[in-house]
Amino acid sequence: MNIPEDRNYAATHEWASEPQDGIVTVGISDFAQDQLGDVVFVELPEVGAAVDAGDAVAVVESVKTASDIYAPLTGTVEEVNDDLEAAPERINEDPYGAGWLFRLRVEGDDGRDELLDADAYRSVCEEEA
Amino acid sequence: MNTTPLTDVHEALGARMTDFAGTRMPLQYASGIAHEHTAVREGVGVFDVSHMAELRIGGPGALDALRTALLNDAKKLRVGRAHYTMIPNDHGGLIDDAYVYRLTEQDYLLVANAANRGAAYERLAAVAAEVPGANVADVSDEWALLALQGPGAALLLDRRVAADLTAVRKNDTLPTEFDDRPIRLARTGYTGEDGFELFVRPDDAVFVWNELLAEGAEPCGLGARDTLRLEAGFPLFGHELTGDTDPRCTPFSWVVKDKPFAGRDGWPEVPECGRRLVGLRLEARGIPRQGYRVLRRDGTPIGTVTSGTVSPLTRDAIGFAWVDADAAEVGTEIAVEIRGQATPAVVAEIPFYRP
């Protein structure tokens, strides 16, 4: 199971990168994309939307099922990955890279303390597998 | 939970397993549903469908019993032929849909859904008890069932079975051998594609399965089985068809033949089709899912989605829905409510796909 150590995870299987100039990239984990199967549709949040950690802000659908994506942090949607509309399979192919979902501008208490490190997230996955 | 003779083989292949109607079944293999779906449309795939129920109806009264218990007319079946049928209940709905095969003059095989194995047996047995010389047996455990489906199925199978497949037409069935193992072959399936179903002895199931894979068939799970049948416009009991469904209000009304049947007294003489079963296609981004509301374009609720998916082949978002009868005509502009948003859709012709 591929769980990079350079980012944090929510128990609901989203990842959040370290902030760069106040911007955090968000996606879903390798475990999540594997559980979902072939991703065929993605609904992303509006740029400019203010989101709280834990809000359902996006939807990723596979052939079989629709899955809500929760904001791992509190912030403002800065950018969304428009490429996924034409190529949702990137989430399966490269969940930690080209398959990113959206970017958040964060400041102050964004809720990162509540997120898991790679080791803790691995335990979550092992329990669910 | 039940298993099939192939459960261990599926797990060894890395299948994701699921509980389907009480049986541990493969949902998909490592390559995924889209890959499996495409394999069946463009090449050849093989499904383990050993969970299906098989009932054997025999004796001089077998035909009378089937004509009474089923909506399609088994009188039309010559020896070695098969057709789609339905089992009516006593209150204007269905116990199950099924496929019936005429094996010999007085011997029939009915393949029903796993979830309805008990109910189908009870109904057939009750009907047969009233017919002189008819007997019914649940022979589900005597057969493993493999479905080899796709445009490449005949060419592949021809290398291994004794029968001359050029003489086997759609809906034909015959006993033959796979290598030296006795099987019953039928040119039937649930994918809309050319293909065969192989009834094999449970002890031969692993051998036949492995040989089919070695010949190039892609292993396919229930996930692809569902997207393929939906694209082909076939209903799934428990979704499109239920205990309350009058099939005369569906695109499958052709199954209901003009003859008496058990339970007829509880059926309205003329069907009361307040709603009709239709195919639909979204005209904007999104995926219809079971349970989503169907609306008129002005927002009035008119029905419910029963199955939906994205076609892995065309990327079209397609599904079945029950809608008010005045909105059931092909081309009617409707909408599907997806997460609170009315997404434009249109009533579409089924099948969504033709080989």
Side-chain angles (χ1 to χ4, degrees):
Chain A
M1 203 177 329
N2 180 14
I3 304 178
E5 296 190 348
D6 62 352
R7 59 197 80 197
N8 292 115
Y9 299 84
T12 46
H13 304 290
E14 297 82 6
W15 55 261
S17 70
E18 291 291 328
Q20 283 194 336
D21 302 325
I23 305 290
V24 169
T25 303
V26 175
I28 66 169
S29 71
D30 186 40
F31 177 82
Q33 70 78 21
D34 183 62
Q35 290 287 312
L36 273 169
D38 299 314
V39 174
V40 288
F41 177 80
V42 182
E43 194 173 289
L44 295 169
E46 298 278 338
V47 171
V51 304
D52 286 331
D55 286 355
V57 293
V59 177
V60 173
E61 298 199 40
S62 66
V63 176
K64 283 301 286 180
T65 188
S67 186
D68 282 328
I69 304 302
Y70 301 95
L73 296 169
T74 296
T76 306
V77 179
E78 179 80 11
E79 188 184 354
V80 299
N81 187 356
D82 290 323
D83 293 348
L84 296 178
E85 184 170 334
E89 64 274 11
R90 284 190 189 167
I91 292 174
N92 297 115
E93 293 161 1
D94 190 9
Y96 297 117
W100 65 278
L101 296 175
F102 54 89
R103 295 198 166 101
L104 291 177
R105 177 171 293 281
V106 297
E107 53 183 356
D109 180 13
D110 59 7
R112 187 171 292 265
D113 291 351
E114 305 290 319
L115 295 181
L116 309 170
D117 64 16
D119 280 347
Y121 177 63
R122 184 179 298 276
S123 311
V124 170
C125 296
E126 281 165 359
E127 262 176 47
E128 289 187 21
Chain B
M1 191 174 324
N2 297 322
T3 57
T4 80
L6 292 162
T7 300
D8 291 346
V9 175
H10 301 316
E11 289 181 352
L13 284 168
R16 180 163 302 151
M17 305 296 284
T18 187
D19 171 15
F20 185 80
T23 304
R24 192 166 163 77
M25 295 293 291
L27 179 63
Q28 63 168 82
Y29 299 84
S31 56
I33 292 172
H35 180 84
E36 295 167 22
H37 182 108
T38 306
V40 169
R41 289 283 179 247
E42 297 176 354
V44 54
V46 60
F47 301 79
D48 175 17
V49 287
S50 301
H51 62 302
M52 302 292 287
E54 286 99 9
L55 307 180
R56 192 165 164 173
I57 302 91
L63 176 58
D64 278 349
L66 289 176
R67 294 194 75 204
T68 304
L70 305 175
L71 291 180
N72 203 343
D73 192 348
K75 189 180 179 182
K76 294 168 184 291
L77 285 178
R78 284 171 281 115
V79 172
R81 295 287 292 162
H83 69 200
Y84 179 62
T85 192
M86 297 175 182
I87 310 172
N89 65 23
D90 293 333
H91 54 272
L94 300 173
I95 292 170
D96 202 2
D97 64 345
Y99 231 78
V100 61
Y101 300 79
R102 188 171 189 183
L103 309 186
T104 68
E105 202 62 39
Q106 297 184 358
D107 198 9
Y108 295 81
L109 192 67
L110 184 91
V111 177
N113 284 297
N116 298 322
R117 177 176 171 178
Y121 172 76
E122 280 171 29
R123 182 62 157 204
L124 268 294
V127 168
E130 303 290 317
V131 176
N135 54 75
V136 178
D138 184 333
V139 296
S140 306
D141 296 335
E142 295 173 24
W143 296 105
L145 184 55
L146 306 183
L148 186 75
Q149 301 280 298
L155 204 61
L156 187 160
L157 205 56
D158 193 49
R159 297 197 287 266
R160 305 303 289 269
V161 299
D164 170 15
L165 297 182
T166 60
V168 181
R169 295 163 304 150
K170 184 177 162 65
N171 283 329
D172 277 355
T173 177
L174 72 166
T176 182
E177 292 90 42
F178 186 100
D179 290 359
D180 57 345
R181 323 268 173 138
I183 66 167
R184 171 161 286 278
L185 188 66
R187 200 158 194 161
T188 51
Y190 191 46
T191 61
E193 211 64 55
D194 185 25
F196 299 84
E197 290 178 301
L198 289 71
F199 298 82
V200 308
R201 296 185 306 202
D203 286 349
D204 293 333
V206 171
F207 172 79
V208 175
W209 171 271
N210 285 338
E211 293 304 307
L212 292 173
L213 294 200
E215 293 281 1
E218 184 78 22
C220 298
L222 293 181
R225 185 166 159 85
D226 193 48
T227 54
L228 287 159
R229 70 92 191 167
L230 188 48
E231 221 177 49
F234 296 148
L236 175 59
F237 197 89
H239 294 253
E240 286 68 44
L241 309 177
T242 70
D244 297 319
T245 301
D246 187 331
R248 295 172 296 181
C249 305
T250 76
F252 317 106
S253 57
W254 59 268
V255 172
V256 187
K257 296 300 190 285
D258 185 18
K259 64 169 182 56
F261 58 82
R264 184 73 176 86
D265 290 350
W267 287 56
E269 189 60 38
V270 176
E272 293 154 5
C273 302
R275 286 190 169 169
R276 288 187 170 275
L277 184 67
V278 299
L280 62 82
R281 177 183 283 110
L282 295 196
E283 294 190 314
R285 296 183 69 240
I287 303 174
R289 301 282 186 188
Q290 181 181 12
Y292 285 9
R293 288 206 300 176
V294 181
L295 314 170
R296 293 186 201 279
R297 287 287 170 94
D298 69 6
T300 319
I302 51 165
T304 308
V305 174
T306 54
S307 293
T309 193
V310 157
S311 159
L313 212 61
T314 64
R315 292 283 178 116
D316 283 349
I318 55 175
F320 277 114
W322 283 94
V323 301
D324 285 358
D326 67 353
E329 200 172 320
V330 169
T332 307
E333 294 187 333
I334 55 173
V336 175
E337 190 178 83
I338 303 178
R339 294 179 283 277
Q341 295 280 337
T343 304
V346 64
V347 175
E349 223 172 300
I350 59 163
F352 300 101
Y353 165 89
R354 278 193 179 85

